[in-house]
Amino acid sequence: MVFRERSATMTARIADLYRRMEMAYDLVARQLDFTCQGCPDNCCDSYFLHHTYVEWAYLWQGIIELAPAQRKIIENRASDYVTACEEALTKDERSQVMCPLNEEGRCILYQHRLMICRMHGVPSSLIFPNGQSKKFPGCFRCQEIVGDRQVVPEVERAPLFRELVALEQELCGGQQGKLPKVKKTIAEMILLEPPTLSLPH
Ligand code: SF4
Ligand code: SF4
């Protein structure tokens, strides 16, 4: 597993990138006076796919620190999650199942949650190298707060994405392009165990 080798450098760098994502999010949330407090919904049941080995590995770094009994519970929930997703797929539906890492409304691996978990909520944009951009309006509650404001603060994802991609490239090294593409739910990442790559030290 990637972080079985305990690459302190890679661990510190992904943790630092995640911290800066969080700061960027918090800044926009403060500007909008937006919090998740009192939300009647919980977006941890949204269906998301994740695309990097580096995030998968860092998630697993959190998982291996859990007690065996709790890991078992999570694996069972992950298995149920995957089954529910498969059933939804056969009906051509998008599943809405609570993430196996959510307990009583809270993320039990909050420090290891993935990028999309850190971005969802507030408005953000992604400017592509060709100058085009894609807008993400944030969650339904945030959209209510934004209303018809003309000027809306937002997180710019591009520099953060670039850093994540750079970490991914470094992690995959010479194997990049030869490895299967990652396109997985958190539940699948849990059930598949950690990716097996060698980390630079
Ligand atoms: S991000 Fe939005 S939908 Fe998700 S818990 Fe927070 S307020 Fe609710
Ligand atoms: S990893 Fe944590 S924050 Fe992300 S969807 Fe799962 S429970 Fe929610």
Side-chain angles (χ1 to χ4, degrees):
M1 142 17 166
V2 173
F3 293 105
R4 189 179 290 153
E5 290 144 46
R6 298 278 173 196
S7 166
T9 311
M10 188 61 85
T11 301
R13 285 166 64 199
I14 181 85
D16 179 61
L17 175 58
Y18 275 161
R19 184 185 57 78
R20 284 180 287 114
M21 285 179 185
E22 214 165 286
M23 282 170 61
Y25 180 102
D26 287 346
L27 179 65
V28 172
R30 272 200 306 279
Q31 287 169 329
L32 288 168
D33 202 15
F34 164 74
T35 73
C36 293
Q37 212 153 24
C39 178
D41 198 0
N42 188 319
C43 47
C44 294
D45 66 3
S46 307
Y47 180 82
F48 285 120
L49 292 166
H50 307 272
H51 300 277
T52 60
Y53 284 98
V54 70
E55 288 203 284
W56 181 1
Y58 191 67
L59 177 72
W60 258 93
Q61 195 161 17
I63 293 172
I64 56 174
E65 283 163 13
L66 295 172
Q70 194 169 21
R71 261 176 76 172
K72 187 72 201 147
I73 290 168
I74 286 167
E75 281 164 17
N76 290 340
R77 283 204 296 253
S79 180
D80 292 345
Y81 183 104
V82 169
T83 305
C85 285
E86 283 167 359
E87 280 172 13
L89 249 178
T90 60
K91 296 182 214 153
D92 214 15
E93 291 171 0
R94 199 177 169 93
S95 67
Q96 199 170 15
V97 189
M98 187 51 75
C99 174
L101 296 177
N102 188 298
E103 278 181 9
E104 297 175 1
R106 291 187 174 274
C107 178
I108 59 167
L109 286 182
Y110 194 72
Q111 297 306 324
H112 292 263
R113 71 197 192 285
L114 280 71
M115 178 182 65
I116 198 68
C117 308
R118 292 162 197 265
M119 290 283 125
H120 185 71
V122 301
S124 60
S125 67
L126 176 62
I127 300 174
F128 295 97
N130 64 7
Q132 289 188 331
S133 72
K134 187 172 175 184
K135 297 277 182 193
F136 303 87
C139 74
F140 79 100
R141 269 183 97 216
C142 200
Q143 287 181 51
E144 283 169 11
I145 290 170
V146 167
D148 53 10
R149 284 183 196 215
Q150 295 302 304
V151 181
V152 181
E154 59 188 18
V155 174
E156 176 46 47
R157 297 183 179 192
L160 301 164
F161 271 27
R162 277 198 294 272
E163 281 193 57
L164 186 68
V165 169
L167 284 177
E168 179 77 350
Q169 284 170 344
E170 203 173 313
L171 177 68
C172 295
Q175 298 174 78
Q176 190 142 47
K178 297 177 198 146
L179 294 167
K181 279 199 178 0
V182 179
K183 194 178 173 189
K184 302 199 182 303
T185 60
I186 287 173
E188 287 168 328
M189 287 179 169
I190 293 168
L191 293 176
L192 281 168
E193 304 205 335
T196 47
L197 297 167
S198 298
L199 267 183
H201 290 274

Short mmCIF file of all heavy atoms in Angstrom, two decimals, residues 44 99 101-102 107 113 117 186, ligand 2:
data_model
loop_
_atom_site.label_atom_id
_atom_site.label_comp_id
_atom_site.label_asym_id
_atom_site.label_seq_id
_atom_site.Cartn_x
_atom_site.Cartn_y
_atom_site.Cartn_z
N CYS A 44 -23.17 13.85 2.24
CA CYS A 44 -22.31 12.65 2.20
C CYS A 44 -23.05 11.47 1.55
O CYS A 44 -22.47 10.40 1.39
CB CYS A 44 -21.82 12.27 3.59
SG CYS A 44 -20.73 13.51 4.29
N CYS A 99 -22.39 7.69 2.63
CA CYS A 99 -21.00 7.23 2.56
C CYS A 99 -20.69 6.32 3.76
O CYS A 99 -21.08 6.63 4.89
CB CYS A 99 -20.08 8.45 2.56
SG CYS A 99 -18.33 8.03 2.67
N LEU A 101 -18.25 6.08 5.47
CA LEU A 101 -17.43 6.73 6.51
C LEU A 101 -18.21 7.76 7.32
O LEU A 101 -17.66 8.41 8.19
CB LEU A 101 -16.21 7.40 5.86
CG LEU A 101 -15.24 6.44 5.18
CD1 LEU A 101 -14.11 7.20 4.51
CD2 LEU A 101 -14.66 5.44 6.20
N ASN A 102 -19.49 7.86 7.02
CA ASN A 102 -20.31 8.82 7.77
C ASN A 102 -21.02 8.10 8.91
O ASN A 102 -21.73 7.12 8.70
CB ASN A 102 -21.33 9.47 6.83
CG ASN A 102 -22.06 10.61 7.50
OD1 ASN A 102 -22.76 10.42 8.49
ND2 ASN A 102 -21.89 11.79 6.96
N CYS A 107 -18.23 12.72 9.49
CA CYS A 107 -17.20 11.94 8.80
C CYS A 107 -16.20 11.42 9.83
O CYS A 107 -15.57 12.22 10.53
CB CYS A 107 -16.49 12.83 7.79
SG CYS A 107 -15.16 11.98 6.92
N ARG A 113 -10.60 12.94 4.42
CA ARG A 113 -11.66 12.99 3.40
C ARG A 113 -11.08 13.53 2.09
O ARG A 113 -10.07 14.24 2.10
CB ARG A 113 -12.86 13.81 3.89
CG ARG A 113 -12.62 15.29 3.97
CD ARG A 113 -13.70 15.93 4.84
NE ARG A 113 -13.71 17.38 4.73
CZ ARG A 113 -12.82 18.18 5.30
NH1 ARG A 113 -11.82 17.69 6.00
NH2 ARG A 113 -12.93 19.49 5.17
N CYS A 117 -14.98 16.16 -1.20
CA CYS A 117 -15.65 16.38 0.09
C CYS A 117 -15.28 17.76 0.63
O CYS A 117 -16.01 18.34 1.42
CB CYS A 117 -15.23 15.33 1.12
SG CYS A 117 -15.40 13.63 0.58
N ILE A 186 -15.83 6.03 -2.77
CA ILE A 186 -15.08 5.78 -1.53
C ILE A 186 -15.31 4.33 -1.07
O ILE A 186 -14.39 3.66 -0.60
CB ILE A 186 -15.50 6.81 -0.45
CG1 ILE A 186 -14.90 8.17 -0.82
CG2 ILE A 186 -15.04 6.37 0.94
CD1 ILE A 186 -15.34 9.32 0.04
S1 SF4 B 2 -15.37 10.76 3.16
FE1 SF4 B 2 -16.32 11.82 4.87
S2 SF4 B 2 -16.87 13.87 4.09
FE2 SF4 B 2 -16.49 12.53 2.33
S3 SF4 B 2 -18.51 11.71 1.77
FE3 SF4 B 2 -17.55 10.23 3.18
S4 SF4 B 2 -18.28 10.80 5.20
FE4 SF4 B 2 -18.67 12.54 3.85
#
